[in-house]
Amino acid sequence: MEKRKELYSGKAKSVFTTDDDNLMVLSFRDDTSAFDGKKVEQLARKGAVNNQFNAFIMEKLAAAGIPTHFVRRLSSNESLVKRLSMIPVECVVRNIAAGSLCRRLGVEEGLALNPPTFEMFLKNDALGDPMINEYHVRSFGWAEPGQIEQMKVLTFKVNDILKQLFLDGGMLLVDYKLEFGVADGEILLGDEFSPDGCRLWDAETREKMDKDRFRQGLGGVVEAYEQVGQRLGMTFEY
C-alpha cells in the first residue's frame, strides 16, 4: 500500500489517497481546536494518542458487530481506512446533560438522561454545525430514510457497547458524536472515536477527561486522554 497525495485537511486530521482507490490513510495531527477554530493549539503526542485510541475503539466495535471503515493501524499516528461517501450529518447521543444541551435547554450539567437523547447536526463548519432533524436530512437529500434509521440503530448500539466499556474503566460516557458513510451500498461508521469527540468523566469524582479540558482551560489534555486509554488497558507507542 502506497500513501499518495493529501485529499483533505481538517481541524485535527489529514486524509491521503493510496494506490488503492478503495483505501485511504488517516493522519492524526497534534492540532487541537475549539469554538469553531477560534482556539487553536498544538499539543505534543495528541495525534499519536488519538490515532491509537481510535484504533482500539474501532476494533472493539467491529468485534461487537458494528461495521466500520477502519482497516488497520499503520504507525503511531496513521491508520488505513476504507474510502467512504460521507453523509454530512453528525449523530449525537447524550447519556448525561452537558455542553450545548445545558445551554440550549437550561438544564443542570450532570443530569442523567433516561432515555438517552439522540440528536443530529449538519456537518458544516461555516454554519457552526447547526442542529437538524430527520425531515431536514430527507428533504435536502443528505441521506435516505433507510440510511437514517440505520445510523440511529448503529449509534445506539455503539452506546450500549461503549458505556459498559468505559464504566469498566471507572468512567462515564457522557455524550459522543459519530459520523457515517457509504461503501458499496452499506452504511459504515467513519471518521474517528477519541476523547476529541466525546465527553468522559471519572465515575466517582466526575473529573473531566476529554476535550472539555482544552475548551475550559483545565490543562493536562493529552495526559487525561492517556489516562483514559490506560484505564481501558491500552499502552501507547510514540
Side-chain angles (χ1 to χ4, degrees):
M1 192 281 302
E2 178 188 342
K3 176 182 170 184
R4 292 187 174 174
K5 68 176 182 178
E6 184 179 274
L7 185 65
Y8 170 78
S9 182
K11 295 175 181 175
K13 296 189 299 297
S14 297
V15 181
F16 294 85
T17 62
T18 72
D19 55 351
D20 185 332
D21 289 341
N22 296 313
L23 297 173
M24 300 188 302
V25 172
L26 283 188
S27 180
F28 288 72
R29 307 192 311 270
D30 288 341
D31 300 298
T32 309
S33 68
F35 312 120
D36 294 326
K38 294 180 177 66
K39 181 179 181 180
V40 180
E41 290 182 20
Q42 288 265 317
L43 299 178
R45 307 190 310 282
K46 176 177 171 284
V49 169
N50 275 359
N51 178 53
Q52 294 171 70
F53 191 99
N54 176 66
F56 178 87
I57 294 295
M58 288 289 178
E59 288 171 351
K60 290 288 186 184
L61 293 176
I66 302 296
T68 84
H69 73 152
F70 182 80
V71 178
R72 67 178 184 273
R73 187 162 67 86
L74 298 174
S75 66
S76 63
N77 70 320
E78 290 189 336
S79 289
L80 188 67
V81 298
K82 298 175 184 176
R83 180 190 287 266
L84 302 182
S85 177
M86 295 301 293
I87 294 171
V89 174
E90 296 178 347
C91 296
V92 173
V93 162
R94 302 180 188 272
N95 296 304
I96 299 172
S100 64
L101 184 72
C102 297
R103 295 191 296 273
R104 281 188 279 120
L105 302 183
V107 297
E108 183 179 354
E109 181 179 85
L111 176 69
L113 303 174
N114 187 20
T117 67
F118 176 86
E119 300 171 340
M120 292 190 293
F121 297 83
L122 177 63
K123 188 170 174 59
N124 187 312
D125 290 341
L127 297 177
D129 298 334
M131 189 175 181
I132 56 176
N133 61 40
E134 294 182 23
Y135 286 89
H136 294 123
V137 179
R138 291 166 59 185
S139 294
F140 292 106
W142 295 321
E144 298 295 327
Q147 293 174 329
I148 298 170
E149 184 59 29
Q150 182 68 357
M151 290 160 61
K152 187 183 297 185
V153 167
L154 290 173
T155 301
F156 277 111
K157 283 185 177 179
V158 168
N159 199 44
D160 292 338
I161 298 162
L162 295 188
K163 271 180 66 177
Q164 189 60 53
L165 178 69
F166 287 115
L167 189 59
D168 290 344
M171 295 169 285
L172 300 174
L173 179 58
V174 175
D175 57 35
Y176 60 92
K177 72 173 183 70
L178 300 180
E179 296 179 28
F180 295 90
V182 181
D184 298 324
E186 182 183 12
I187 293 287
L188 302 180
L189 176 62
D191 195 45
E192 67 172 290
F193 193 103
S194 75
D196 268 4
C198 67
R199 285 188 173 89
L200 295 163
W201 294 349
D202 180 273
E204 292 188 7
T205 66
R206 298 213 164 188
E207 178 187 3
K208 295 173 181 178
M209 307 178 72
D210 54 73
K211 195 176 177 180
D212 273 350
R213 300 195 66 84
F214 178 70
R215 296 186 187 98
Q216 299 173 15
L218 301 175
V221 179
V222 176
E223 291 80 2
Y225 289 15
E226 290 169 323
Q227 186 182 355
V228 171
Q230 290 160 3
R231 289 193 186 191
L232 298 180
M234 294 181 60
T235 56
F236 293 99
E237 301 172 5
Y238 303 106

